[in-house]
mmCIF file of all heavy atoms in Angstrom:
data_model
loop_
_atom_site.group_PDB
_atom_site.id
_atom_site.type_symbol
_atom_site.label_atom_id
_atom_site.label_comp_id
_atom_site.label_asym_id
_atom_site.label_seq_id
_atom_site.Cartn_x
_atom_site.Cartn_y
_atom_site.Cartn_z
ATOM 1 N N GLY A 40 -180.447 -14.718 -42.756
ATOM 2 C CA GLY A 40 -179.581 -15.890 -42.755
ATOM 3 C C GLY A 40 -179.944 -16.951 -43.770
ATOM 4 O O GLY A 40 -179.159 -17.863 -44.033
ATOM 5 N N LEU A 41 -181.130 -16.838 -44.368
ATOM 6 C CA LEU A 41 -181.578 -17.858 -45.329
ATOM 7 C C LEU A 41 -181.600 -17.334 -46.760
ATOM 8 O O LEU A 41 -181.785 -18.104 -47.707
ATOM 9 C CB LEU A 41 -182.968 -18.368 -44.955
ATOM 10 C CG LEU A 41 -183.056 -19.086 -43.608
ATOM 11 C CD1 LEU A 41 -184.499 -19.491 -43.322
ATOM 12 C CD2 LEU A 41 -182.142 -20.307 -43.583
ATOM 13 N N GLY A 42 -181.460 -16.049 -46.934
ATOM 14 C CA GLY A 42 -181.452 -15.496 -48.281
ATOM 15 C C GLY A 42 -182.819 -15.538 -48.934
ATOM 16 O O GLY A 42 -183.850 -15.662 -48.282
ATOM 17 N N LEU A 43 -182.799 -15.442 -50.256
ATOM 18 C CA LEU A 43 -184.027 -15.472 -51.049
ATOM 19 C C LEU A 43 -184.380 -16.917 -51.381
ATOM 20 O O LEU A 43 -183.569 -17.650 -51.939
ATOM 21 C CB LEU A 43 -183.815 -14.698 -52.351
ATOM 22 C CG LEU A 43 -183.816 -13.187 -52.240
ATOM 23 C CD1 LEU A 43 -183.137 -12.567 -53.443
ATOM 24 C CD2 LEU A 43 -185.246 -12.678 -52.133
ATOM 25 N N ARG A 44 -185.587 -17.301 -51.051
ATOM 26 C CA ARG A 44 -186.042 -18.661 -51.354
ATOM 27 C C ARG A 44 -187.264 -18.583 -52.273
ATOM 28 O O ARG A 44 -188.221 -17.879 -51.970
ATOM 29 C CB ARG A 44 -186.372 -19.420 -50.071
ATOM 30 C CG ARG A 44 -185.145 -19.708 -49.213
ATOM 31 C CD ARG A 44 -185.502 -20.535 -47.994
ATOM 32 N NE ARG A 44 -186.280 -19.770 -47.039
ATOM 33 C CZ ARG A 44 -186.905 -20.307 -45.995
ATOM 34 N NH1 ARG A 44 -186.868 -21.625 -45.807
ATOM 35 N NH2 ARG A 44 -187.568 -19.538 -45.149
ATOM 36 N N LEU A 45 -187.210 -19.332 -53.355
ATOM 37 C CA LEU A 45 -188.256 -19.277 -54.369
ATOM 38 C C LEU A 45 -189.461 -20.103 -53.928
ATOM 39 O O LEU A 45 -189.340 -21.288 -53.623
ATOM 40 C CB LEU A 45 -187.715 -19.795 -55.698
ATOM 41 C CG LEU A 45 -188.672 -19.786 -56.886
ATOM 42 C CD1 LEU A 45 -189.094 -18.355 -57.225
ATOM 43 C CD2 LEU A 45 -188.034 -20.455 -58.091
ATOM 44 N N ILE A 46 -190.629 -19.465 -53.951
ATOM 45 C CA ILE A 46 -191.858 -20.143 -53.543
ATOM 46 C C ILE A 46 -192.554 -20.732 -54.775
ATOM 47 O O ILE A 46 -192.817 -21.933 -54.848
ATOM 48 C CB ILE A 46 -192.803 -19.162 -52.824
ATOM 49 C CG1 ILE A 46 -192.099 -18.497 -51.639
ATOM 50 C CG2 ILE A 46 -194.064 -19.895 -52.351
ATOM 51 C CD1 ILE A 46 -192.891 -17.359 -51.016
ATOM 52 N N TYR A 47 -192.884 -19.871 -55.726
ATOM 53 C CA TYR A 47 -193.525 -20.271 -56.972
ATOM 54 C C TYR A 47 -193.063 -19.323 -58.069
ATOM 55 O O TYR A 47 -192.666 -18.197 -57.807
ATOM 56 C CB TYR A 47 -195.057 -20.150 -56.878
ATOM 57 C CG TYR A 47 -195.796 -21.379 -56.461
ATOM 58 C CD1 TYR A 47 -196.162 -21.564 -55.124
ATOM 59 C CD2 TYR A 47 -196.167 -22.344 -57.386
ATOM 60 C CE1 TYR A 47 -196.871 -22.699 -54.733
ATOM 61 C CE2 TYR A 47 -196.879 -23.483 -56.997
ATOM 62 C CZ TYR A 47 -197.222 -23.651 -55.669
ATOM 63 O OH TYR A 47 -197.922 -24.764 -55.277
ATOM 64 N N PHE A 48 -193.160 -19.796 -59.297
ATOM 65 C CA PHE A 48 -192.973 -18.908 -60.418
ATOM 66 C C PHE A 48 -193.955 -19.258 -61.528
ATOM 67 O O PHE A 48 -194.563 -20.343 -61.534
ATOM 68 C CB PHE A 48 -191.521 -18.895 -60.910
ATOM 69 C CG PHE A 48 -191.037 -20.183 -61.519
ATOM 70 C CD1 PHE A 48 -191.000 -20.343 -62.893
ATOM 71 C CD2 PHE A 48 -190.578 -21.220 -60.717
ATOM 72 C CE1 PHE A 48 -190.529 -21.521 -63.460
ATOM 73 C CE2 PHE A 48 -190.104 -22.393 -61.266
ATOM 74 C CZ PHE A 48 -190.084 -22.542 -62.639
ATOM 75 N N SER A 49 -194.086 -18.330 -62.452
ATOM 76 C CA SER A 49 -195.019 -18.504 -63.556
ATOM 77 C C SER A 49 -194.350 -18.039 -64.841
ATOM 78 O O SER A 49 -193.712 -16.981 -64.856
ATOM 79 C CB SER A 49 -196.289 -17.687 -63.313
ATOM 80 O OG SER A 49 -197.089 -17.637 -64.466
ATOM 81 N N TYR A 50 -194.461 -18.808 -65.897
ATOM 82 C CA TYR A 50 -193.839 -18.447 -67.162
ATOM 83 C C TYR A 50 -194.859 -18.058 -68.225
ATOM 84 O O TYR A 50 -194.498 -17.772 -69.364
ATOM 85 C CB TYR A 50 -192.917 -19.557 -67.669
ATOM 86 C CG TYR A 50 -193.567 -20.916 -67.752
ATOM 87 C CD1 TYR A 50 -194.192 -21.339 -68.914
ATOM 88 C CD2 TYR A 50 -193.544 -21.782 -66.665
ATOM 89 C CE1 TYR A 50 -194.786 -22.574 -68.997
ATOM 90 C CE2 TYR A 50 -194.139 -23.025 -66.732
ATOM 91 C CZ TYR A 50 -194.759 -23.426 -67.902
ATOM 92 O OH TYR A 50 -195.343 -24.648 -67.973
ATOM 93 N N ASP A 51 -196.133 -18.072 -67.866
ATOM 94 C CA ASP A 51 -197.164 -17.633 -68.804
ATOM 95 C C ASP A 51 -198.490 -17.572 -68.042
ATOM 96 O O ASP A 51 -198.603 -18.115 -66.931
ATOM 97 C CB ASP A 51 -197.275 -18.596 -69.988
ATOM 98 C CG ASP A 51 -197.865 -17.938 -71.227
ATOM 99 O OD1 ASP A 51 -198.412 -16.816 -71.109
ATOM 100 O OD2 ASP A 51 -197.794 -18.536 -72.309
ATOM 101 N N VAL A 52 -199.467 -16.985 -68.669
ATOM 102 C CA VAL A 52 -200.789 -16.917 -68.040
ATOM 103 C C VAL A 52 -201.282 -18.329 -67.750
ATOM 104 O O VAL A 52 -201.163 -19.224 -68.576
ATOM 105 C CB VAL A 52 -201.774 -16.173 -68.956
ATOM 106 C CG1 VAL A 52 -203.177 -16.181 -68.362
ATOM 107 C CG2 VAL A 52 -201.314 -14.748 -69.185
#
Side-chain angles (χ1 to χ4, degrees):
Chain A
L41 297 178
L43 284 160
R44 293 184 290 169
L45 181 63
I46 305 171
Y47 267 96
F48 67 99
S49 169
Y50 53 91
D51 204 347
V52 176

